[in-house]
Amino acid sequence: MNFDDLGLMPSLLKAVKEKGYEVPSPIQEKAIPLILKGRDILASAQTGTGKTAGFTLPLLQRLSENEPKGKRNIRALILTPTRELAAQIYDNVLEYSKHINLRSTVIFGGVNQRPQVATLRQGVDILIATPGRLLDLVNQRVLFLDNVEILVLDEADRMLDMGFKRDIDKIMSLIPSRRQNLLFSATFSKEIKFLARDILNNPETVETSPQNTTVEAIVQKAYKVDKNKKPELIIKLIKEGGWSQVLVFTRTKHGANNLCKKMIKSDIQAAAIHGNKSQSARTKALFGFKNGTVEVLVATDIAARGLDIPLLPHVINFELPNIPEDYVHRIGRTGRAGAKGEALSLVSGDENIYLRDIEKLIGSRIQISTVEGFEPDPNFVPAENNQRTRTKHKPRNPNKGYPRRRNRN
Ligand code: ADP
Ligand code: MG
């Protein structure tokens, strides 16, 4: 699907194009047409899947259908739990409304209120706010909410976690009851359902690929294979298994790039992330991975650290890490609610030593087998292994395991 198919007006499509977006994400595809129709929605999608544009674009369109006459009033109120989020949404609203005659502003606590009040006095159509400062300004009678037509609660679950329930109730009592309501949350907890029942009017529920949260079990497997046959084997496994959302770990940036290229040649939608990729390339790869257009994300350990991705059905170690703790971090990415996650390792002769270190650390054996046609050559003697044998006489601290080298990625 294209942005053009969602019913958005040209001035918005232009802004989207200028942002460099190619296709809408699943949450955008589903939510935008419904919001344009005037429906209330209860939407949940993982962080980073483009929810902001999902509500901002149709909201701008609906507001611009009735051009403001005379002094501008707040017609859309976007509530969000933190000032960082408020500022982020404001930036998005500014960008998407570039070619439209609508004014917006943002208010949050912790800073001098005077400039915020001055902007409000000039009249705005869209207000992005944190609940506390909003109520402060309402109480001081510098802000009025009686013309609100559209209400957005972004990160509603976080607002509840942060104790904003009473503030939200208060705000609800201040805005007209006839309005469009859009509630966004990362999860659909019981509390969110109660809140939705109170606030939303016959909502359409929009959900995209449910988050995998609890780890039922991780099945750990390893296949012995020659180093040079690894790319072919991983491609076969992914294709024959029909796997999508696969996170693959390599030890080096170069290795990640190479593998990624081979996968793309075999018609697998793969993307690599590592330290040499620009921030925008990484953001793009991750966005695609979360939204399903990228099936395989090839990453180095360091690039994967701190990535906000949900638990995945498949994690593959294309190469074992030389630091056993990294193995534990890697496979911690797998697992599915109510199902088994699979952590697979491809082990070449020179990596047996890493496998043993890992087994020592996790305190159990990893089931190891071979795949027909990919059995390692029994006469193959890996170079690195010889080296290890030669250095074996070196005194080592027996508690420390093998010397640890970290590749800088
Ligand atoms: P969420 O609110 O779901 O956590 P955001 O709205 O903050 O996600 O969007 C996450 C990132 O994705 C932002 O950098 C945003 O610019 C980008 N983004 C949003 N929509 C698209 C799209 N259709 N194509 C590419 N990138 C997008
Ligand atoms: Mg968001």
Side-chain angles (χ1 to χ4, degrees), residues 221-261:
K221 280 195 216 162
Y223 290 132
K224 272 196 190 303
V225 58
D226 286 336
K227 219 182 191 73
N228 55 3
K229 287 192 196 150
K230 280 187 178 189
E232 209 187 319
L233 177 58
I234 196 171
I235 288 168
K236 175 189 156 82
L237 291 169
I238 290 172
K239 286 203 142 181
E240 290 183 0
W243 298 343
S244 56
Q245 276 206 310
V246 189
L247 181 60
V248 176
F249 285 97
T250 60
R251 225 154 45 201
T252 66
K253 298 178 243 193
H254 183 63
N257 279 342
N258 269 344
L259 180 60
C260 188
K261 276 187 207 140

Side-chain angles (χ1 to χ4, degrees), residues 43-56:
S44 130
Q46 200 214 321
T47 314
T49 53
K51 292 191 285 296
T52 318
F55 63 76
T56 304

